[in-house]
Every structure is written in C-alpha cells, then in structure tokens.
Amino acid sequence: EKFNQVSKFIPGNSKVLDIGCNDGEFKNFLKNPVYYGVDVDKDVISGLIKKGIKAKQADLNKEELPYKNEKFDFVLLLDILEHVVNPQKLLLDAGKKLNKDGKIITSLPNDYHILNKIRFIFNRHITSAPFASYGHLHYFPIKSGEKFLRENGFEILAVTYLTPVKPKFLVYLFPQALVRDVLYVLKMKN
C-alpha cells in the first residue's frame, strides 16, 4: 500500500535516491527510474549491486550520505527518520541532495494510534508486527511530526494517511487515533 501511494507522486524517468532502501523493491513500483539506494545492511547492498542497482552501504548514524556530487528529483525517507539518532540532520542532508525542483517523500509512523494505546492499557509490550517499534528512537505524533518537518525548512505539499481502517472518512475525522503511518511530500522553502 505504501509503495503504491508513494509511486503516485513520482513521474516516469525520475532520478530517485531511496535512503533505507532495503531490498530495493520500491524500484519495481516506478516507471523507468534512475534509481539509487542506500542502506545500512552490507549483504542487502551486495545483492542490489549484483542486480545492477546503484547502491551504497552507509550507517547514517556515523557516516555522511553517499553520492556527494549527485542531485535527485526525489529523495525517499520511508520509515527511516524515527530510526536514526539525529533525524533533523538526515532530513537536512537529504534536502541538500535535491535538484532545483526536487522533493522529499517521507513517512512517519504514528506510534500513538489507538491499537498501541489499547496494548498499553493491557500492559502489553509493543513487540509484534504491525505494532513493533523496530528500534524507533523518535516518536512523531501527527501534529509534532508536521511541526518537525516545517521547522526544518520544508513545505508540506501533500499528506496521505496510511491505515487499514475502513471507511476512510473515519481516518480523516480521527487521524491521531486511527492512522498508522503518514506519508508526506515535501519541498524546501525558499
């Protein structure tokens, strides 16, 4: 679902940097991309390189973003900002990788949604999918997440709520309670 939603914002033939690319599966959702990947897992990167994908290994808690002289139409930060020690630095560094009209597409988890709150009430640890925090170092309730993005020099162009809840109108009435992830399309403010 997330990859389908993200791909709607990226036209064909775009130059894309996927930070936290994992197995590079997102590339398959794009039309003829010029695709670059970055991930912390050396084995994953080796596999991508063997498939002919431009990919580099980097621990973004200790190293700078690779591809120093490259500019991109889109930089993806999908499910990554909550995992790094300094999300502000990564967001700003990603912004420096954009070409003149480039955009960042990021997703922030809403760890404060109702299902997690119910688990807390019953003293259940959030350890199983889809509730696991998977090493979240930061939490971004919806309003705080949007404030974080704006305060770091980005304009929010589009917001998409990602949730299994139906009907969707309920999600827009009660996003903080029902949304699992929020997808943002950003551009740098002038």
Side-chain angles (χ1 to χ4, degrees), residues 117-125:
K117 290 176 181 175
I118 291 169
R119 292 177 74 92
F120 286 130
I121 289 170
F122 291 103
N123 199 27
R124 301 281 183 204
H125 292 284

Side-chain angles (χ1 to χ4, degrees), residues 49-61:
I49 291 170
K50 287 176 185 173
K51 293 180 190 175
I53 294 174
K54 296 173 189 163
K56 293 190 178 184
Q57 189 273 333
D59 180 344
L60 298 177
N61 287 321

Side-chain angles (χ1 to χ4, degrees), residues 11-153:
N13 303 308
S14 293
K15 188 174 181 182
V16 177
L17 174 59
D18 189 355
I19 299 172
C21 66
N22 197 339
D23 61 5
E25 177 68 22
F26 181 67
K27 181 179 186 273
N28 298 327
F29 288 76
L30 300 174
K31 296 175 191 150
N32 197 32
V34 179
Y35 181 85
Y36 292 69
V38 174
D39 202 271
V40 69
D41 189 319
K42 290 178 184 176
D43 294 332
V44 164
I45 294 302
S46 293
L48 293 173
I49 291 170
K50 287 176 185 173
K51 293 180 190 175
I53 294 174
K54 296 173 189 163
K56 293 190 178 184
Q57 189 273 333
D59 180 344
L60 298 177
N61 287 321
K62 300 174 185 173
E63 302 171 82
E64 297 297 317
L65 277 172
Y67 309 112
K68 291 193 188 313
N69 299 318
E70 298 284 344
K71 294 289 185 179
F72 299 89
D73 300 315
F74 291 90
V75 175
L76 306 180
L77 292 166
L78 304 177
D79 300 318
I80 189 79
L81 290 174
E82 64 275 11
H83 294 279
V84 295
V85 172
N86 190 342
Q88 179 183 31
K89 180 182 183 319
L90 180 56
L91 181 64
L92 295 173
D93 289 349
K96 294 174 187 173
K97 297 286 184 194
L98 296 173
N99 67 26
K100 181 178 175 265
D101 297 317
K103 295 174 183 66
I104 289 178
I105 300 178
T106 189
S107 61
L108 297 176
N110 175 27
D111 290 315
Y112 293 87
H113 64 81
I114 192 79
L115 297 175
N116 280 354
K117 290 176 181 175
I118 291 169
R119 292 177 74 92
F120 286 130
I121 289 170
F122 291 103
N123 199 27
R124 301 281 183 204
H125 292 284
I126 303 173
T127 57
S128 60
F131 309 108
S133 60
Y134 297 108
H136 290 186
L137 301 176
H138 305 279
Y139 298 94
F140 295 100
I142 294 172
K143 289 187 188 293
S144 298
E146 291 176 2
K147 181 179 178 187
F148 167 77
L149 297 171
R150 286 188 182 104
E151 285 180 346
N152 284 290

Side-chain angles (χ1 to χ4, degrees), residues 170-182:
L170 289 175
V171 171
Y172 288 92
L173 290 175
F174 309 105
Q176 188 63 43
L178 300 175
V179 170
R180 178 67 185 124
D181 290 292
V182 185

